[in-house]
Amino acid sequence: MIIYLAADHRGFEVKEHLKNALSSRGYPVVDLGPVAYDEEDDYPTIAAALAKKVSENRETSRGILLCGSGVGVAVVANKFPNVRAATVMTPDQAFDSRNDDDANVLALGTNYLDGAAAEKIAVTWLATPFAKEPRFVRRLQEITQIEADVYGNNSRDQLQR
């Protein structure tokens, strides 16, 4: 499982912490940038690059996005087919987002989390499988149906197949 990381300037420092922490735990991490702090960068471009990777490789990858609130990057990521991004603030939420909702992109708000807290959340999130309980599967099918209704015959999921 490849773990993609990306952040805007507000998440840069915590991204660097996560990159080192996850790599030291044996996770294969691909840093999609930025490679240096840039106060002028914009989260939409950065989030889109990561979401595209996860969208194209949904069975073999996960993504972790960081910005000040975590909300902006999640909004961008959720525009991509096959992406379910969750803004998470606690390890319990991280567990639920994977166990119940099969989220494949974790969005973290670094205005509220330091590196150690982000690491606890990320490790919980990465270690938690989707439970595949019938009620959770049913709910994801309902979401897929909503997407089909909104996008017509070209549901977000079908656009990638």
Side-chain angles (χ1 to χ4, degrees):
M1 180 74 52
I2 296 171
I3 312 304
Y4 294 108
L5 288 178
D8 71 356
H9 59 281
R10 288 166 60 193
F12 180 78
E13 185 178 314
V14 175
K15 175 185 68 86
E16 293 298 302
H17 175 92
L18 279 179
K19 178 172 59 175
N20 294 327
L22 296 177
S23 293
S24 72
R25 290 173 180 261
Y27 288 102
V29 174
V30 175
D31 185 349
L32 296 177
V35 296
Y37 179 85
D38 177 4
E39 190 173 340
E40 298 299 316
D41 63 16
D42 291 319
Y43 71 83
T45 305
I46 292 162
L50 182 141
K52 184 175 190 282
K53 291 280 193 187
V54 173
S55 176
E56 293 171 346
N57 303 293
R58 69 181 180 187
E59 300 298 326
T60 60
S61 68
R62 298 277 184 271
I64 301 175
L65 286 166
L66 303 98
C67 72
S69 69
V71 175
V73 293
V75 169
V76 172
N78 280 317
K79 302 295 183 195
F80 285 77
N82 309 314
V83 170
R84 281 186 296 282
T87 303
V88 170
M89 301 305 289
T90 68
D92 288 340
Q93 283 182 310
F95 177 86
D96 289 344
S97 75
R98 286 285 310 129
N99 185 76
D100 301 6
D101 302 308
D102 199 20
N104 55 8
V105 172
L106 175 65
L108 298 174
T110 59
N111 287 352
Y112 315 104
L113 302 168
D114 63 11
E119 182 180 344
K120 287 179 186 175
I121 291 166
V123 168
T124 299
W125 188 77
L126 291 167
T128 304
F130 176 48
K132 298 182 182 174
E133 290 182 21
R135 64 189 168 130
F136 300 149
V137 171
R138 182 184 69 246
R139 291 168 185 161
L140 292 178
Q141 290 169 340
E142 290 173 9
I143 293 169
T144 300
Q145 183 59 54
I146 291 167
E147 290 173 339
D149 293 345
V150 170
Y151 295 103
N153 289 335
N154 294 319
S155 78
R156 290 175 58 195
D157 188 55
Q158 292 169 345
L159 290 173
Q160 285 303 107
R161 291 185 183 175

PDB file of all heavy atoms in Angstrom, residues 40-68:
ATOM      1  N   GLU A  40       3.267  31.061  -0.486  1.00  0.00           N
ATOM      2  CA  GLU A  40       2.357  31.466  -1.558  1.00  0.00           C
ATOM      3  C   GLU A  40       1.642  30.292  -2.238  1.00  0.00           C
ATOM      4  O   GLU A  40       0.866  30.502  -3.167  1.00  0.00           O
ATOM      5  CB  GLU A  40       3.124  32.274  -2.609  1.00  0.00           C
ATOM      6  CG  GLU A  40       3.731  33.561  -2.072  1.00  0.00           C
ATOM      7  CD  GLU A  40       2.687  34.524  -1.525  1.00  0.00           C
ATOM      8  OE1 GLU A  40       1.643  34.704  -2.176  1.00  0.00           O
ATOM      9  OE2 GLU A  40       2.924  35.090  -0.437  1.00  0.00           O
ATOM     10  N   ASP A  41       1.911  29.057  -1.806  1.00  0.00           N
ATOM     11  CA  ASP A  41       1.266  27.928  -2.490  1.00  0.00           C
ATOM     12  C   ASP A  41      -0.227  27.896  -2.170  1.00  0.00           C
ATOM     13  O   ASP A  41      -0.696  28.529  -1.231  1.00  0.00           O
ATOM     14  CB  ASP A  41       1.951  26.595  -2.181  1.00  0.00           C
ATOM     15  CG  ASP A  41       1.887  26.193  -0.711  1.00  0.00           C
ATOM     16  OD1 ASP A  41       1.077  26.751   0.055  1.00  0.00           O
ATOM     17  OD2 ASP A  41       2.663  25.307  -0.321  1.00  0.00           O
ATOM     18  N   ASP A  42      -0.969  27.184  -2.994  1.00  0.00           N
ATOM     19  CA  ASP A  42      -2.419  27.078  -2.838  1.00  0.00           C
ATOM     20  C   ASP A  42      -2.820  25.622  -2.693  1.00  0.00           C
ATOM     21  O   ASP A  42      -2.394  24.771  -3.476  1.00  0.00           O
ATOM     22  CB  ASP A  42      -3.141  27.686  -4.043  1.00  0.00           C
ATOM     23  CG  ASP A  42      -2.978  29.190  -4.106  1.00  0.00           C
ATOM     24  OD1 ASP A  42      -3.056  29.842  -3.050  1.00  0.00           O
ATOM     25  OD2 ASP A  42      -2.775  29.716  -5.211  1.00  0.00           O
ATOM     26  N   TYR A  43      -3.676  25.336  -1.716  1.00  0.00           N
ATOM     27  CA  TYR A  43      -4.059  23.956  -1.433  1.00  0.00           C
ATOM     28  C   TYR A  43      -4.825  23.263  -2.560  1.00  0.00           C
ATOM     29  O   TYR A  43      -4.701  22.045  -2.701  1.00  0.00           O
ATOM     30  CB  TYR A  43      -4.824  23.847  -0.107  1.00  0.00           C
ATOM     31  CG  TYR A  43      -6.215  24.418  -0.126  1.00  0.00           C
ATOM     32  CD1 TYR A  43      -7.284  23.679  -0.613  1.00  0.00           C
ATOM     33  CD2 TYR A  43      -6.470  25.700   0.338  1.00  0.00           C
ATOM     34  CE1 TYR A  43      -8.567  24.206  -0.639  1.00  0.00           C
ATOM     35  CE2 TYR A  43      -7.741  26.230   0.319  1.00  0.00           C
ATOM     36  CZ  TYR A  43      -8.783  25.479  -0.177  1.00  0.00           C
ATOM     37  OH  TYR A  43     -10.042  25.983  -0.213  1.00  0.00           O
ATOM     38  N   PRO A  44      -5.629  23.941  -3.394  1.00  0.00           N
ATOM     39  CA  PRO A  44      -6.373  23.187  -4.406  1.00  0.00           C
ATOM     40  C   PRO A  44      -5.472  22.396  -5.360  1.00  0.00           C
ATOM     41  O   PRO A  44      -5.741  21.222  -5.642  1.00  0.00           O
ATOM     42  CB  PRO A  44      -7.174  24.262  -5.154  1.00  0.00           C
ATOM     43  CG  PRO A  44      -7.396  25.323  -4.120  1.00  0.00           C
ATOM     44  CD  PRO A  44      -6.092  25.350  -3.358  1.00  0.00           C
ATOM     45  N   THR A  45      -4.411  23.003  -5.841  1.00  0.00           N
ATOM     46  CA  THR A  45      -3.506  22.315  -6.766  1.00  0.00           C
ATOM     47  C   THR A  45      -2.824  21.134  -6.079  1.00  0.00           C
ATOM     48  O   THR A  45      -2.700  20.050  -6.658  1.00  0.00           O
ATOM     49  CB  THR A  45      -2.445  23.300  -7.288  1.00  0.00           C
ATOM     50  OG1 THR A  45      -3.109  24.417  -7.868  1.00  0.00           O
ATOM     51  CG2 THR A  45      -1.538  22.650  -8.302  1.00  0.00           C
ATOM     52  N   ILE A  46      -2.403  21.340  -4.862  1.00  0.00           N
ATOM     53  CA  ILE A  46      -1.699  20.303  -4.104  1.00  0.00           C
ATOM     54  C   ILE A  46      -2.642  19.137  -3.791  1.00  0.00           C
ATOM     55  O   ILE A  46      -2.289  17.972  -3.989  1.00  0.00           O
ATOM     56  CB  ILE A  46      -1.111  20.919  -2.822  1.00  0.00           C
ATOM     57  CG1 ILE A  46       0.019  21.886  -3.200  1.00  0.00           C
ATOM     58  CG2 ILE A  46      -0.641  19.856  -1.850  1.00  0.00           C
ATOM     59  CD1 ILE A  46       0.404  22.859  -2.118  1.00  0.00           C
ATOM     60  N   ALA A  47      -3.842  19.448  -3.347  1.00  0.00           N
ATOM     61  CA  ALA A  47      -4.816  18.398  -3.021  1.00  0.00           C
ATOM     62  C   ALA A  47      -5.246  17.641  -4.270  1.00  0.00           C
ATOM     63  O   ALA A  47      -5.420  16.418  -4.233  1.00  0.00           O
ATOM     64  CB  ALA A  47      -6.025  19.007  -2.320  1.00  0.00           C
ATOM     65  N   ALA A  48      -5.394  18.345  -5.373  1.00  0.00           N
ATOM     66  CA  ALA A  48      -5.807  17.689  -6.616  1.00  0.00           C
ATOM     67  C   ALA A  48      -4.765  16.683  -7.089  1.00  0.00           C
ATOM     68  O   ALA A  48      -5.117  15.595  -7.565  1.00  0.00           O
ATOM     69  CB  ALA A  48      -6.071  18.731  -7.702  1.00  0.00           C
ATOM     70  N   ALA A  49      -3.501  17.014  -6.955  1.00  0.00           N
ATOM     71  CA  ALA A  49      -2.447  16.093  -7.390  1.00  0.00           C
ATOM     72  C   ALA A  49      -2.500  14.784  -6.597  1.00  0.00           C
ATOM     73  O   ALA A  49      -2.388  13.694  -7.170  1.00  0.00           O
ATOM     74  CB  ALA A  49      -1.078  16.755  -7.241  1.00  0.00           C
ATOM     75  N   LEU A  50      -2.698  14.880  -5.290  1.00  0.00           N
ATOM     76  CA  LEU A  50      -2.792  13.679  -4.464  1.00  0.00           C
ATOM     77  C   LEU A  50      -4.075  12.915  -4.760  1.00  0.00           C
ATOM     78  O   LEU A  50      -4.053  11.685  -4.923  1.00  0.00           O
ATOM     79  CB  LEU A  50      -2.713  14.046  -2.981  1.00  0.00           C
ATOM     80  CG  LEU A  50      -2.744  12.850  -2.033  1.00  0.00           C
ATOM     81  CD1 LEU A  50      -1.794  13.064  -0.875  1.00  0.00           C
ATOM     82  CD2 LEU A  50      -4.147  12.571  -1.523  1.00  0.00           C
ATOM     83  N   ALA A  51      -5.182  13.608  -4.842  1.00  0.00           N
ATOM     84  CA  ALA A  51      -6.463  12.931  -5.084  1.00  0.00           C
ATOM     85  C   ALA A  51      -6.456  12.205  -6.418  1.00  0.00           C
ATOM     86  O   ALA A  51      -7.021  11.116  -6.540  1.00  0.00           O
ATOM     87  CB  ALA A  51      -7.606  13.940  -5.027  1.00  0.00           C
ATOM     88  N   LYS A  52      -5.827  12.774  -7.413  1.00  0.00           N
ATOM     89  CA  LYS A  52      -5.715  12.112  -8.722  1.00  0.00           C
ATOM     90  C   LYS A  52      -4.981  10.786  -8.586  1.00  0.00           C
ATOM     91  O   LYS A  52      -5.403   9.773  -9.142  1.00  0.00           O
ATOM     92  CB  LYS A  52      -5.005  13.021  -9.721  1.00  0.00           C
ATOM     93  CG  LYS A  52      -4.934  12.469 -11.122  1.00  0.00           C
ATOM     94  CD  LYS A  52      -4.323  13.510 -12.069  1.00  0.00           C
ATOM     95  CE  LYS A  52      -4.454  13.094 -13.511  1.00  0.00           C
ATOM     96  NZ  LYS A  52      -3.507  12.095 -13.935  1.00  0.00           N
ATOM     97  N   LYS A  53      -3.895  10.772  -7.842  1.00  0.00           N
ATOM     98  CA  LYS A  53      -3.129   9.535  -7.623  1.00  0.00           C
ATOM     99  C   LYS A  53      -3.984   8.476  -6.923  1.00  0.00           C
ATOM    100  O   LYS A  53      -4.011   7.315  -7.336  1.00  0.00           O
ATOM    101  CB  LYS A  53      -1.877   9.806  -6.790  1.00  0.00           C
ATOM    102  CG  LYS A  53      -0.830  10.602  -7.476  1.00  0.00           C
ATOM    103  CD  LYS A  53      -0.031   9.734  -8.392  1.00  0.00           C
ATOM    104  CE  LYS A  53       1.218  10.452  -8.846  1.00  0.00           C
ATOM    105  NZ  LYS A  53       1.922   9.685  -9.858  1.00  0.00           N
ATOM    106  N   VAL A  54      -4.669   8.862  -5.859  1.00  0.00           N
ATOM    107  CA  VAL A  54      -5.504   7.910  -5.128  1.00  0.00           C
ATOM    108  C   VAL A  54      -6.670   7.454  -6.001  1.00  0.00           C
ATOM    109  O   VAL A  54      -7.018   6.274  -6.019  1.00  0.00           O
ATOM    110  CB  VAL A  54      -5.979   8.498  -3.787  1.00  0.00           C
ATOM    111  CG1 VAL A  54      -6.987   7.574  -3.103  1.00  0.00           C
ATOM    112  CG2 VAL A  54      -4.794   8.773  -2.868  1.00  0.00           C
ATOM    113  N   SER A  55      -7.258   8.358  -6.738  1.00  0.00           N
ATOM    114  CA  SER A  55      -8.378   8.029  -7.621  1.00  0.00           C
ATOM    115  C   SER A  55      -7.976   6.972  -8.646  1.00  0.00           C
ATOM    116  O   SER A  55      -8.738   6.042  -8.925  1.00  0.00           O
ATOM    117  CB  SER A  55      -8.851   9.297  -8.338  1.00  0.00           C
ATOM    118  OG  SER A  55      -9.869   9.020  -9.260  1.00  0.00           O
ATOM    119  N   GLU A  56      -6.790   7.104  -9.178  1.00  0.00           N
ATOM    120  CA  GLU A  56      -6.314   6.178 -10.215  1.00  0.00           C
ATOM    121  C   GLU A  56      -5.810   4.860  -9.635  1.00  0.00           C
ATOM    122  O   GLU A  56      -5.700   3.873 -10.350  1.00  0.00           O
ATOM    123  CB  GLU A  56      -5.196   6.835 -11.016  1.00  0.00           C
ATOM    124  CG  GLU A  56      -5.684   8.010 -11.842  1.00  0.00           C
ATOM    125  CD  GLU A  56      -4.564   8.813 -12.474  1.00  0.00           C
ATOM    126  OE1 GLU A  56      -3.379   8.650 -12.073  1.00  0.00           O
ATOM    127  OE2 GLU A  56      -4.866   9.629 -13.358  1.00  0.00           O
ATOM    128  N   ASN A  57      -5.481   4.857  -8.347  1.00  0.00           N
ATOM    129  CA  ASN A  57      -4.890   3.673  -7.706  1.00  0.00           C
ATOM    130  C   ASN A  57      -5.620   3.347  -6.412  1.00  0.00           C
ATOM    131  O   ASN A  57      -5.004   3.112  -5.381  1.00  0.00           O
ATOM    132  CB  ASN A  57      -3.408   3.932  -7.411  1.00  0.00           C
ATOM    133  CG  ASN A  57      -2.634   4.298  -8.634  1.00  0.00           C
ATOM    134  OD1 ASN A  57      -2.446   3.493  -9.525  1.00  0.00           O
ATOM    135  ND2 ASN A  57      -2.201   5.549  -8.711  1.00  0.00           N
ATOM    136  N   ARG A  58      -6.936   3.308  -6.467  1.00  0.00           N
ATOM    137  CA  ARG A  58      -7.726   3.202  -5.234  1.00  0.00           C
ATOM    138  C   ARG A  58      -7.509   1.895  -4.476  1.00  0.00           C
ATOM    139  O   ARG A  58      -7.717   1.848  -3.272  1.00  0.00           O
ATOM    140  CB  ARG A  58      -9.196   3.406  -5.530  1.00  0.00           C
ATOM    141  CG  ARG A  58      -9.830   2.290  -6.322  1.00  0.00           C
ATOM    142  CD  ARG A  58     -11.276   2.592  -6.579  1.00  0.00           C
ATOM    143  NE  ARG A  58     -11.867   1.510  -7.352  1.00  0.00           N
ATOM    144  CZ  ARG A  58     -13.059   1.547  -7.837  1.00  0.00           C
ATOM    145  NH1 ARG A  58     -13.817   2.602  -7.641  1.00  0.00           N
ATOM    146  NH2 ARG A  58     -13.541   0.544  -8.516  1.00  0.00           N
ATOM    147  N   GLU A  59      -7.114   0.848  -5.136  1.00  0.00           N
ATOM    148  CA  GLU A  59      -6.904  -0.440  -4.449  1.00  0.00           C
ATOM    149  C   GLU A  59      -5.525  -0.544  -3.807  1.00  0.00           C
ATOM    150  O   GLU A  59      -5.324  -1.362  -2.916  1.00  0.00           O
ATOM    151  CB  GLU A  59      -7.093  -1.600  -5.433  1.00  0.00           C
ATOM    152  CG  GLU A  59      -8.472  -1.653  -6.067  1.00  0.00           C
ATOM    153  CD  GLU A  59      -9.596  -1.847  -5.056  1.00  0.00           C
ATOM    154  OE1 GLU A  59      -9.387  -2.545  -4.052  1.00  0.00           O
ATOM    155  OE2 GLU A  59     -10.687  -1.280  -5.283  1.00  0.00           O
ATOM    156  N   THR A  60      -4.576   0.276  -4.256  1.00  0.00           N
ATOM    157  CA  THR A  60      -3.195   0.119  -3.802  1.00  0.00           C
ATOM    158  C   THR A  60      -2.613   1.356  -3.145  1.00  0.00           C
ATOM    159  O   THR A  60      -1.405   1.429  -2.923  1.00  0.00           O
ATOM    160  CB  THR A  60      -2.287  -0.282  -4.990  1.00  0.00           C
ATOM    161  OG1 THR A  60      -2.364   0.754  -5.980  1.00  0.00           O
ATOM    162  CG2 THR A  60      -2.711  -1.606  -5.585  1.00  0.00           C
ATOM    163  N   SER A  61      -3.458   2.337  -2.835  1.00  0.00           N
ATOM    164  CA  SER A  61      -2.914   3.558  -2.246  1.00  0.00           C
ATOM    165  C   SER A  61      -3.888   4.182  -1.255  1.00  0.00           C
ATOM    166  O   SER A  61      -5.082   3.886  -1.252  1.00  0.00           O
ATOM    167  CB  SER A  61      -2.578   4.572  -3.344  1.00  0.00           C
ATOM    168  OG  SER A  61      -3.745   5.054  -3.963  1.00  0.00           O
ATOM    169  N   ARG A  62      -3.328   5.049  -0.432  1.00  0.00           N
ATOM    170  CA  ARG A  62      -4.071   5.923   0.475  1.00  0.00           C
ATOM    171  C   ARG A  62      -3.394   7.286   0.379  1.00  0.00           C
ATOM    172  O   ARG A  62      -2.241   7.396  -0.030  1.00  0.00           O
ATOM    173  CB  ARG A  62      -3.992   5.447   1.932  1.00  0.00           C
ATOM    174  CG  ARG A  62      -4.579   4.085   2.200  1.00  0.00           C
ATOM    175  CD  ARG A  62      -6.089   4.136   2.403  1.00  0.00           C
ATOM    176  NE  ARG A  62      -6.613   2.832   2.743  1.00  0.00           N
ATOM    177  CZ  ARG A  62      -7.011   1.937   1.859  1.00  0.00           C
ATOM    178  NH1 ARG A  62      -6.918   2.179   0.581  1.00  0.00           N
ATOM    179  NH2 ARG A  62      -7.494   0.783   2.253  1.00  0.00           N
ATOM    180  N   GLY A  63      -4.103   8.316   0.805  1.00  0.00           N
ATOM    181  CA  GLY A  63      -3.530   9.650   0.780  1.00  0.00           C
ATOM    182  C   GLY A  63      -3.733  10.371   2.092  1.00  0.00           C
ATOM    183  O   GLY A  63      -4.746  10.169   2.771  1.00  0.00           O
ATOM    184  N   ILE A  64      -2.771  11.205   2.435  1.00  0.00           N
ATOM    185  CA  ILE A  64      -2.883  12.067   3.606  1.00  0.00           C
ATOM    186  C   ILE A  64      -2.592  13.491   3.153  1.00  0.00           C
ATOM    187  O   ILE A  64      -1.515  13.773   2.629  1.00  0.00           O
ATOM    188  CB  ILE A  64      -1.921  11.648   4.736  1.00  0.00           C
ATOM    189  CG1 ILE A  64      -2.197  10.202   5.171  1.00  0.00           C
ATOM    190  CG2 ILE A  64      -2.042  12.612   5.921  1.00  0.00           C
ATOM    191  CD1 ILE A  64      -1.222   9.650   6.201  1.00  0.00           C
ATOM    192  N   LEU A  65      -3.587  14.349   3.325  1.00  0.00           N
ATOM    193  CA  LEU A  65      -3.491  15.754   2.947  1.00  0.00           C
ATOM    194  C   LEU A  65      -3.509  16.628   4.192  1.00  0.00           C
ATOM    195  O   LEU A  65      -4.237  16.330   5.149  1.00  0.00           O
ATOM    196  CB  LEU A  65      -4.683  16.141   2.070  1.00  0.00           C
ATOM    197  CG  LEU A  65      -4.676  15.629   0.647  1.00  0.00           C
ATOM    198  CD1 LEU A  65      -6.053  15.801   0.007  1.00  0.00           C
ATOM    199  CD2 LEU A  65      -3.607  16.361  -0.164  1.00  0.00           C
ATOM    200  N   LEU A  66      -2.747  17.707   4.161  1.00  0.00           N
ATOM    201  CA  LEU A  66      -2.691  18.612   5.302  1.00  0.00           C
ATOM    202  C   LEU A  66      -2.830  20.058   4.844  1.00  0.00           C
ATOM    203  O   LEU A  66      -2.218  20.460   3.848  1.00  0.00           O
ATOM    204  CB  LEU A  66      -1.362  18.459   6.046  1.00  0.00           C
ATOM    205  CG  LEU A  66      -1.050  17.059   6.545  1.00  0.00           C
ATOM    206  CD1 LEU A  66      -0.133  16.337   5.587  1.00  0.00           C
ATOM    207  CD2 LEU A  66      -0.462  17.087   7.916  1.00  0.00           C
ATOM    208  N   CYS A  67      -3.654  20.794   5.566  1.00  0.00           N
ATOM    209  CA  CYS A  67      -3.757  22.236   5.383  1.00  0.00           C
ATOM    210  C   CYS A  67      -4.143  22.807   6.739  1.00  0.00           C
ATOM    211  O   CYS A  67      -4.198  22.074   7.727  1.00  0.00           O
ATOM    212  CB  CYS A  67      -4.743  22.612   4.280  1.00  0.00           C
ATOM    213  SG  CYS A  67      -6.495  22.362   4.657  1.00  0.00           S
ATOM    214  N   GLY A  68      -4.414  24.086   6.812  1.00  0.00           N
ATOM    215  CA  GLY A  68      -4.721  24.703   8.105  1.00  0.00           C
ATOM    216  C   GLY A  68      -5.917  24.085   8.795  1.00  0.00           C
ATOM    217  O   GLY A  68      -5.851  23.703   9.958  1.00  0.00           O
TER     218      GLY A  68
END
